[in-house]
Amino acid sequence: MFKFRDLLFTPKCVSCGSLGQDLCTPCLLQTKPFLGRSISNCAKVYCASPYSGWVKDVLIEYKNGNKNFGSVIAQLLVRTLDFAKVDSCRTVIPIPSSQLKIADRGFDTMLQVCRELKRVRPELQVVGNCLTLRHLVQDQVGLSFTERQANMSSAFRANRPVVGDVILIDDVVTTGATLMNAAKALKIAGAKRVYCITLCGTPNSR
């Protein structure tokens, strides 16, 4: 959709630099979503890209507070949803940011991405306040596998009943501790199956 700001600032593709779109169609189609490794409580995990290249750069900029990159991330996640073919799911639930990170960035990163997703796929139902953090968690960067598991153990609670299959949205999956514990909370609340869609991750080696 044409935006008024485009009259002043011509969009440039974050991948190839061509003018006209924040992410041009050829570059979007070059991305190859994949099945991620198995994680407890998650039916399947799908990822848009490895954590590398321009996708990594976009995510870092976004998490540093550049809200404009949310639409690019949403395009990549829509492509991943198409790859996953989770047609039974219409309910989309973001991993919540901590209040400290929201205050620092000025917005909840995954909730904003889910809102961008809904603009592209109006049939999706975004439930932004479904999950909350039960306690303060450390930044996961630099933590070992064991430390990440302990950090995220029982970190989430669901604020409402959950019915049927749902899609859980996050930015990066590494050890899987965040998704495992968030999915556990959703299943306790009634979710049948929890499919996870992330921007970056590692392919299933099996």
Side-chain angles (χ1 to χ4, degrees), residues 93-103 105 108-110 128-140 148-160 168 170 177-183 185-186:
I93 299 171
I95 292 289
S97 297
S98 69
Q99 291 303 312
L100 288 175
K101 288 184 177 179
I102 292 173
R105 295 168 181 154
D108 186 322
T109 52
M110 290 300 99
N129 60 349
C130 184
L131 287 174
T132 55
L133 289 164
R134 300 179 64 179
H135 56 76
L136 185 66
V137 295
Q138 293 178 256
D139 194 311
Q140 298 273 73
R148 285 173 181 252
Q149 294 291 332
N151 187 42
M152 299 308 301
S153 179
S154 302
F156 298 99
R157 70 164 175 263
N159 299 316
R160 60 177 65 190
L168 186 60
D170 202 8
T178 299
L179 293 179
M180 178 179 70
N181 284 282
L186 293 175

Side-chain angles (χ1 to χ4, degrees), residues 3 12 22 37 50 58 70 82 89 94-95 97 116 118-119 154 162 164 177 186 190 200:
K3 298 179 182 179
K12 180 188 294 185
D22 292 326
R37 64 183 185 83
V58 163
D82 290 341
C89 301
I95 292 289
S97 297
E116 295 285 349
K118 186 171 176 62
R119 292 182 186 178
S154 302
V162 181
L186 293 175
C200 299

Side-chain angles (χ1 to χ4, degrees), residues 5 55 59 76 81 83 89 135 167 177 179 181:
R5 68 178 177 86
V55 176
L59 180 57
L76 292 166
L81 281 169
F83 170 81
C89 301
H135 56 76
I167 298 170
L179 293 179
N181 284 282

Side-chain angles (χ1 to χ4, degrees), residues 18-133:
S18 63
L19 299 179
Q21 295 175 290
D22 292 326
L23 177 59
C24 70
T25 300
C27 287
L28 175 62
L29 295 179
Q30 284 177 11
T31 60
K32 303 295 182 184
F34 54 82
L35 178 66
R37 64 183 185 83
S38 298
I39 295 174
S40 296
N41 303 316
C42 303
K44 296 282 185 180
V45 178
Y46 297 95
C47 309
S49 167
Y51 187 60
S52 61
W54 64 267
V55 176
K56 175 183 176 180
D57 294 340
V58 163
L59 180 57
I60 290 173
E61 283 290 323
Y62 182 63
K63 294 181 76 171
N64 282 339
N66 192 333
K67 194 174 182 180
N68 293 331
F69 284 112
S71 62
V72 174
I73 293 172
Q75 289 181 68
L76 292 166
L77 294 183
V78 166
R79 182 160 170 78
T80 309
L81 281 169
D82 290 341
F83 170 81
K85 293 183 171 61
V86 284
D87 298 331
S88 62
C89 301
R90 290 291 182 270
T91 301
V92 175
I93 299 171
I95 292 289
S97 297
S98 69
Q99 291 303 312
L100 288 175
K101 288 184 177 179
I102 292 173
D104 183 48
R105 295 168 181 154
F107 60 98
D108 186 322
T109 52
M110 290 300 99
L111 177 57
Q112 178 62 29
V113 164
C114 287
R115 287 171 175 164
E116 295 285 349
L117 276 175
K118 186 171 176 62
R119 292 182 186 178
V120 182
R121 295 291 171 84
E123 71 274 13
L124 296 177
Q125 178 186 5
V126 176
V127 186
N129 60 349
C130 184
L131 287 174
T132 55
L133 289 164

